Amino acid sequence: MKNGKKKEKGSANGKKRWIIVSIGMVILALGSGYAGYAVQQHLDLQALESAAVEAMVHTEAVKLAEYSKTQHRKDSVRQNAGKDTTQALVDAARYMLEGIKNRPREVEVTPENAADFATIESCQINPETGKIDVTMKAKDLAVSDDGYYYLFEEKAYQSALTGSEYLIEDQKDVNLTFSVNLNYNTASSRLFSKFVVAVKKNGSFLAITRPHYITNPEALAKYSLSFGNTTSKKGLLVDPEKLQSTELDDLGVRHAAYNIPLSRILGQTTNEHYPTVYYTYNGRNYAFNGQIIAEYDYIFTSLTNRGITTTAIILNDHSAHPELIHPKARSGGHAPYFAFNAADEDGVECIAAVASFLASRYSGTGHGKVVNWVIGNEINARSEWNHIEHMDTASYVDEYARAFRVFYNAILSINSSARVYISLDQQWGKSLYSKNGYGSKEILDEFNRNLKAEGNIDWALAQHPYNYPLTSAKAWSSSGKAGSYVQEGENTPVITIKNLHVLTDYLQKPEMRTEDGEVRHLILSEMGYTSSQGQELQAASFVYAYKVIEANQYVDSMLFSRETDAPSEVAQGLALGICTLGGGRKSIYEAYKYVDTPESARYTDFALQVIGISNWNEVIRKH
């Protein structure tokens, strides 16, 4: 690195000497009669001499002349080809003066304007060179101690420019591209870093841009998995105990969800028949429980062989490695899941390793395929599902967003077609049952703002549009609490299937779209209806929901919760399964099986009378 810097500075000195010699040659030419005659035909002699002298005595003369040379070098070579020496010198002088006249303004950098003095417009891996290209743009030139801009690297867990170890410097300009090594999968990897441009001011370095992360990790990917048969949106939270049966095939399941609590997969194996799986990433070694990994291999292979599009939900439970738990989440609270730790080096490295391992293992390497990755569960419900000490919305989202980026870059660097999702629940306009929680809308807005500010990526949304309250059996109901909380406007307190279009309308807003202007991917990764108040109501609610989802082009899939009742949920009045605890099939079974087939009407039209409508157009026209 040091040799590179010396080379750049040596080159700069050579350029300076070229400018000084050129100016001298122009002045000498101006002193001869022949040259004077030629110059009079092209430029005003007095103006030329005055400008040249002013440029020479100005303390920034060399830099300004350098800027002029850079801008006009190609044109000068082309236009001067074949001309006599005098004409070439005259043209060179004219180009130099035009450069001085049109040069960017020099503006003093202050604490008030420093952070936004310039903008990093892109930070991407160059697929041809394998390096990171950081492109900066500014309106003016910053006044500083020297003539250089400096590129700094910040780790994901850092929040300010520290120290004086910069990566590379370049001469000031309003448009610059820095290229630095990626160092992929080494101890000095920059895949998860952010980058800042700075100037030297009063002997110290001062950032003149906001941080920017790499936004195209997919440039490194070995795999690009197909999403398979996605003509149907019908999905299910599967029961692993039934994978050897034909039930998923009989139901026609096309999408499946499965949880991965990290405590289950991390650590050495205690069963000698399933050796520990070791994985090295960024120069560190990690151990994964061979027996549990074999279990997931079986599950994901079974689903893949059925042509099912699989979604894995990564959960940070308390018994996982302590470095994965955010420092502000390690004390207090009894939530089942905790905030991911992207606040220090160990946390970032562990997240990156876990994400890279999972993406590598389930990208078609003989262990099944996972294409959708959900990071956490209902993160707006802080105290229940993403425990960390209470803080303002921007700070809370920033902690999650840092971890999300690490997951995203790790996963996409393996599988370029993977989708990575933020998980939110139905508490849209405000938190209704979460203690010191947040509304999904405020989290989504801040998450979108945060990621756009530091490098927009193609994040996606996994929403849980349960009824409110959860024990309500009628998805179409407008009575009771649902009547006042499930509204049509974008500030509705709750989003359920009944007003799902509010969410998809919101995602269509220009500020919510991807960099390419596309509406972001949306899956309903967890939703269900209880049969505690009658199996017919549960079946009718499912049919109603599927008709709404099927009609909404912005919903990729729905994952019904669940294949089999869960005892803990049944105790709360939430018998959500398609089958009972004893394995019996509920009324919803036939409706689920046929809802997306040509025989749908025969098995689903019963719901029209239950809902109180005459045809399905009354439902789908709103969506």
Side-chain angles (χ1 to χ4, degrees), residues 1 18 107 134 165 178 221 232 288 332 346 360 420 433 464-465 516 535 547 607:
M1 184 180 296
W18 185 93
V107 175
V134 182
E165 291 296 320
F178 301 89
S232 172
F288 292 86
D346 287 342
S360 297
V420 186
Y433 62 78
H464 297 174
D516 295 330
Q535 291 189 13
K547 295 292 185 181

Side-chain angles (χ1 to χ4, degrees), residues 503-521:
L503 175 59
T504 53
D505 288 348
Y506 199 76
L507 291 176
Q508 292 174 63
K509 297 174 73 169
E511 61 269 28
M512 297 302 297
R513 294 179 178 236
T514 69
E515 286 293 286
D516 295 330
E518 299 294 324
V519 178
R520 296 187 183 276
H521 286 284

